[in-house]
């Protein structure tokens, strides 16, 4: 909610009198039942909501009861979507206060099912859709978006949604959910966000033939056509909002757009860079706890796509900062795709992004399966970004515990059904010694080890939500002209230092997710500092603040849904006071005129 803006004035003699301003709230903030009577009258909603002014505690009780009454996760997803649409501040109060419980319903894993059924469950407009048929007119269409101060947009073409394939425009659930987390975690104002889905066709034949599918009935456009469309889109977004940050999400091939735009627009790709940064944060802590120096680590990655390569490159940079050369760091990685170990002499044409990590020391031997690679490499780190549920077999996990005292096991695929192993499997098969983090949330697990000791183990979750909101907020607040690799690395490095002593003692590699707002402040500050080091910031006064002052400043700029009603109440009271003062000014000359007339009589 922005401050009240006086849109016009009247003059009486030399006194400027403000007229009653038009409300500057987003439409979904008008009907909050916590608004007092004066606010409702100001907003012209008096009589349009039940008369009782409610506390947040009453609102929360009703909402949580309604949420609990829904029998399926998709019903809960729809309920929360409607709440966000109708009462945005209440939605974010609930999300922040119940982050662990509500986030899975707003984003992964439930958003996966929502995207698969988007055209079936669609019930209200959210976000913007731009079709390939709109090319040549994107600038004009972008101007239809009602908010004038957009700071960040999440853009997808739906061609690779989670591990679910090409969902076309049904992928809109991803930008909407992602931006809800930008607001909930890092405090970017909800009205400053733009969910954007590009209808560039879909390779999903079932959707093209589905009468309910709401996208165009065409096959996916060519890479060249997509590039030309994206060129026009990026220019249109920057023309409307010159300082906008654009985050690309869930493109089948994300590398061309990142390489093409990262030096000319303020943009980043969360699949490559955000995933890499968040895993870096957990891996740094795991490597330190493993007791093995980086040069002696051997990492096997199942999955050599954008996320896998992005993660591996971030860890390469970390290893280099620990004293390894680039070649030494790169040699610590073995990447496995659908055809087996990625080698330079495998016989197939490797995708450009895989070449960097292709092995040349295999002496002509080809390893066709993950099991073969694991038995050959005897890895200290087993990383899963494959979307192949159960790919890390009990035998692999047991062997890793035989080879190393603290094996690092990161099954990062979403949703839970696609996780390469469960937390229980990792703990049970390693006798409780695994250093574990997953992409999907798992519950704590009570386990009795081979020594007869029973304890509760707590899973880490390498969720991108720890970094991408802060990358966005840090870029916005520093007014950076681009998102540098230094800023991306800084987010992961800051995350590694965020766990408290209690969290470390519980075995967590990441901070407790309930502290996400505090963690976001820390990560945002480090992103801003990195922008300053790379000389891409445009707010030089922040350079003069020490870290404590900068943290306080960041907090003051974060949207806080708890304060929105109070701020509006205060502004309306201030407006009423100003109008009373002006009314007294108007009456004074009139009294004097009457007195003079009476004296004449």
């Amino acid at each position: 909610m922005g401050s009240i803006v006086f849109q016009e004035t009247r003059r009486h003699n030399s006194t400027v009198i403000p007229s009653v301003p038009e409300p500057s709230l987003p439409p979904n903030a008008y009907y909050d039942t916590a608004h007092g009577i004066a606010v409702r009258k100001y907003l012209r909603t008096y009589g349009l909501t039940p008369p009782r002014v409610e506390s947040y505690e009453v609102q929360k009780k009703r909402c949580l009861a309604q949420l609990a009454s829904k029998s399926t996760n998709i019903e809960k997803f729809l309920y929360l979507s409607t709440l966000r649409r109708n009462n945005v501040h209440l939605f974010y109060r609930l999300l922040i206060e119940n982050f662990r419980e509500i986030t899975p319903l707003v984003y992964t894993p439930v958003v996966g099912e929502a995207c698969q059924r988007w055209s079936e469950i669609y019930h209200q407009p959210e976000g913007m859709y731009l079709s390939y048929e709109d090319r040549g007119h994107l600038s004009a269409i972008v101007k239809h978006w009602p908010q004038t101060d957009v700071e960040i947009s999440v853009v997808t073409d739906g061609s690779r949604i989670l591990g679910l394939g090409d969902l076309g425009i049904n992928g809109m659930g991803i930008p909407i959910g992602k931006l809800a987390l930008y607001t909930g975690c890092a405090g970017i104002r909800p009205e400053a966000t733009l969910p954007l889905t590009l209808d560039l066709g879909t390779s999903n034949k079932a959707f093209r033939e589905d009468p309910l599918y709401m996208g165009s009935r065409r096959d996916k456009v060519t890479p060249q056509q997509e590039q030309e469309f994206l060129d026009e889109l990026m220019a249109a977004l920057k023309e409307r909002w010159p300082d906008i940050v654009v985050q690309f999400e869930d493109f089948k091939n994300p590398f061309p757009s990142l390489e093409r735009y990262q030096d000319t627009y303020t943009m980043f790709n969360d699949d490559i860079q955000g995933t890499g940064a968040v895993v870096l944060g957990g891996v740094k802590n795991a490597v330190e706890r493993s007791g093995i120096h980086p040069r002696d680590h051997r990492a096997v990655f199942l999955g050599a796509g954008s996320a896998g390569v992005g993660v591996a490159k971030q860890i390469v940079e970390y290893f280099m900062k620990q004293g390894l050369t680039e070649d030494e760091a790169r040699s610590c990685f073995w990447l496995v795709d659908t055809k087996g170990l990625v080698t330079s002499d495998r016989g197939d044409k490797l995708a450009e992004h895989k070449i960097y990590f292709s092995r040349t020391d295999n002496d002509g031997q080809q390893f066709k399966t993950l099991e073969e690679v694991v038995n050959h490499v005897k890895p200290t780190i087993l990383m899963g970004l494959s979307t192949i549920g159960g790919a890390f077999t009990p035998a692999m996990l047991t062997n890793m515990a035989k080879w190393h005292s603290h094996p690092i096991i990161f099954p990062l695929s979403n949703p839970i059904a696609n996780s390469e192993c469960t937390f229980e499997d990792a703990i049970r098969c390693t006798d409780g010694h695994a250093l574990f983090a997953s992409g999907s949330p798992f519950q704590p697990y009570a386990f009795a080890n081979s020594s007869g000791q029973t304890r509760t183990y707590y899973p880490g979750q390498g969720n991108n939500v720890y970094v991408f909101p802060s990358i966005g907020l840090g870029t916005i607040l520093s007014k950076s002209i681009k998102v540098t690799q230094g800023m991306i690395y800084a987010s992961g490095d800051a995350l590694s230092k965020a766990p408290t002593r209690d969290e470390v003692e519980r075995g967590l590699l990441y901070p407790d997710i309930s502290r996400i707002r505090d963690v976001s402040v820390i990560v945002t500050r480090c992103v801003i500092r990195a922008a300053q080091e790379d000389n891409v910031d445009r707010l030089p006064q922040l350079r003069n603040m020490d870290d404590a002052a900068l943290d306080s400043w960041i907090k003051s700029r974060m949207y806080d849904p708890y304060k929105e009603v109070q701020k509006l109440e205060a502004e309306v009271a201030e407006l009423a006071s100003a109008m009373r003062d002006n009314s007294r000014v108007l009456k004074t000359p009139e009294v004097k005129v009457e007195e003079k007339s009476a004296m004449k009589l």
Side-chain angles (χ1 to χ4, degrees), residues 456-474:
T456 299
Y457 294 81
Y458 296 90
Q461 186 184 359
N463 193 321
N464 289 25
V465 77
Y466 283 115
V467 297
F468 71 76
S470 297
I471 295 171
L473 182 62

Side-chain angles (χ1 to χ4, degrees), residues 223-353:
Q224 180 61 34
Q225 290 172 323
E226 180 177 286
Q227 177 182 298
E228 292 170 356
F229 188 90
L230 290 175
D231 284 349
E232 184 183 349
L233 170 69
M234 295 299 283
L237 292 174
K238 189 172 180 62
E239 177 187 15
R240 175 88 195 271
W241 301 289
D243 294 330
I244 191 172
V245 178
V246 181
Q247 185 225 295
F248 278 63
E249 181 79 15
D250 285 350
F251 282 73
K252 184 176 182 179
N253 184 4
F255 292 98
S257 58
L258 179 60
E259 294 168 1
R260 187 172 181 83
Y261 303 123
Q262 63 182 343
D263 292 325
T264 51
Y265 293 96
T266 311
M267 62 82 62
F268 70 103
N269 185 292
D270 186 54
D271 299 313
I272 301 172
Q273 297 168 295
T275 302
V278 78
V279 177
L280 167 67
V283 165
K284 283 191 66 176
N285 288 332
V287 167
E288 291 173 5
R289 296 182 203 179
S290 73
I292 300 174
H293 191 275
R295 74 173 62 255
D296 297 319
H297 272 282
R298 297 185 296 280
V300 168
F301 277 53
L302 179 60
S306 58
V309 171
V311 168
K313 285 188 173 180
Q314 294 290 346
I315 302 174
V316 165
E317 184 172 351
Y318 162 53
F319 284 3
M320 291 171 63
K321 291 180 184 294
Q322 298 303 305
L324 279 67
T325 67
E326 183 175 2
D327 285 342
E328 288 173 338
R330 182 172 54 181
S331 69
C332 295
F333 295 83
W334 285 258
L335 270 60
V336 179
D337 63 12
T338 57
K339 297 179 181 178
L341 180 66
V342 176
T343 64
S344 296
D345 61 352
R346 196 167 65 177
D348 60 327
K349 180 176 175 57
L350 294 178
E352 187 69 25
H353 64 274

Side-chain angles (χ1 to χ4, degrees), residues 144-215:
H144 294 167
W145 188 250
Q147 299 297 337
T148 58
D149 297 320
V150 171
E151 295 177 328
I152 190 164
S153 177
V154 172
V155 181
T156 187
D157 70 345
S159 58
R160 197 219 61 183
I161 296 296
L162 302 175
L164 305 172
D166 186 349
L167 302 186
I169 63 95
N170 287 354
M172 177 56 99
I174 294 296
I176 292 172
K178 203 102 180 180
L179 286 167
L181 298 181
Y182 272 101
T183 298
C185 300
I188 297 176
R189 295 200 63 82
E191 67 269 25
T193 66
L194 170 60
L196 183 53
T197 292
L198 310 180
D199 182 13
L200 303 181
T202 177
S203 60
N204 191 318
K205 186 172 181 290
F207 281 159
R208 293 201 306 268
E209 295 177 354
D210 182 353
L212 292 182
Y213 179 63
M214 303 178 78

